[in-house]
Amino acid sequence: MPNSPNGPDTPDSLNGPDTPNGPDTPDVSAPRLSVAVLGPGGVGGLLAALLSRSGHRVLCLAGEETAHTLRTTGIHVRSPLFGDFTAPVEADTALREPVDACLVTVKATALDAALTRIPPAALGDALLVPFLNGVEHPALLRARYAPDRVAPSVIRVESTRTAPGLVEHTSPFAEIDLTGAKVPRPRLEALAEALIAAGPATRVLDDETTTLWAKMAFLAPLALLTTRYALPLGEARTRHREELASLVAETAAVSRACGAPVDPARALARYDAFPPATKSSMQRDAEAGRPLELDAIGGALLRAADRHGVPVPVTARIVRELREAGR
């Protein structure tokens, strides 16, 4: 559910992280970082505001109109977990100066165009931290930027941009897993320390493949089924139970073939624990007439299945039906 740079991302549980700092008492003991955020939407805007409130320098990268709004008004967040607050941010249309890290929080469908805002020379030694759905984007980013600075990561949150500079964070959690097979561990730990102090529960994990596929294995069945039938999760998991179970089993098989074991029974139990009204971000995009991340999710799953010779008939049919419907 990912997501979304965004809409909801696939939370692991319904329990939010502990936040010892509280909504109004940010911890500023961590070293001050300079962080760029490419795509200050639901996810990017939330992280930008939290990091700014925690005392870090934040530069949002967006179109001229959005950048002007953010420079003028900052980012206002409404959140049951982090409170109601407004945080000042800097904003520009492109990265022009050194930063410690650049968070990439755009949709997969907008990635190519958005990356023009981050010239490789300007990024330099900074960490590039994509919070994107799917599993294929790390290779694309490592071909363009320094491979040992690309840190593919995962966020589980439900957060939506309702207007430029306005973010509604509705989930009682915000959880981040930072990874990066070639990234120096101290760089990841420094960013994790800043994120934890800002609010989100954050871990540094060693296995990049397992981390990305853990999200993919949960996200793909949810996104494909709810979007195909235009139903919230509660109805989809009841009326189309057999298809959901097949999607989960097929995705788990592909994940295992890629080196990331997934338990189908646990995945089904997690779907059953979610509120019935839950919608995937792909479904929300379909409802709003926005481009879908179908290729980044369903397409990537089919390509991985083909590479490893794993049969995925139900997944292939639903992806085909969504494509035929113009999705």
Side-chain angles (χ1 to χ4, degrees), residues 5 106-114 132-133 282 285 290-297 327:
V106 297
K107 291 275 193 178
T109 53
L111 181 60
D112 286 342
L132 273 77
N133 293 323
M282 185 186 290
D285 286 341
R290 294 189 290 263
L292 303 189
E293 294 183 302
L294 182 59
D295 188 65
I297 299 171
R327 297 302 194 185

Side-chain angles (χ1 to χ4, degrees), residues 228-253:
R228 168 63 181 86
Y229 294 108
L231 293 172
L233 177 57
E235 291 183 66
R237 71 191 175 202
T238 301
R239 294 166 57 178
H240 301 281
R241 185 73 177 188
E242 185 174 341
E243 282 176 285
L244 176 59
S246 295
L247 286 169
V248 169
E250 291 177 4
T251 307

Side-chain angles (χ1 to χ4, degrees), residues 100-173:
D100 295 301
C102 179
L103 313 183
V104 181
T105 55
V106 297
K107 291 275 193 178
T109 53
L111 181 60
D112 286 342
L115 290 179
T116 62
R117 302 189 189 281
I118 313 175
L123 185 65
D125 190 53
L127 288 186
L128 188 70
V129 187
F131 292 103
L132 273 77
N133 293 323
V135 294
E136 296 178 336
H137 57 276
L140 180 152
L141 293 171
R142 286 179 173 132
R144 182 165 183 160
Y145 303 98
D148 63 348
R149 293 296 182 265
V150 176
S153 299
V154 167
I155 185 166
R156 292 172 291 275
V157 70
E158 190 167 348
S159 187
T160 304
R161 186 191 85 156
T162 57
L166 298 176
V167 173
E168 295 276 352
H169 168 227
T170 55
S171 57
F173 48 77

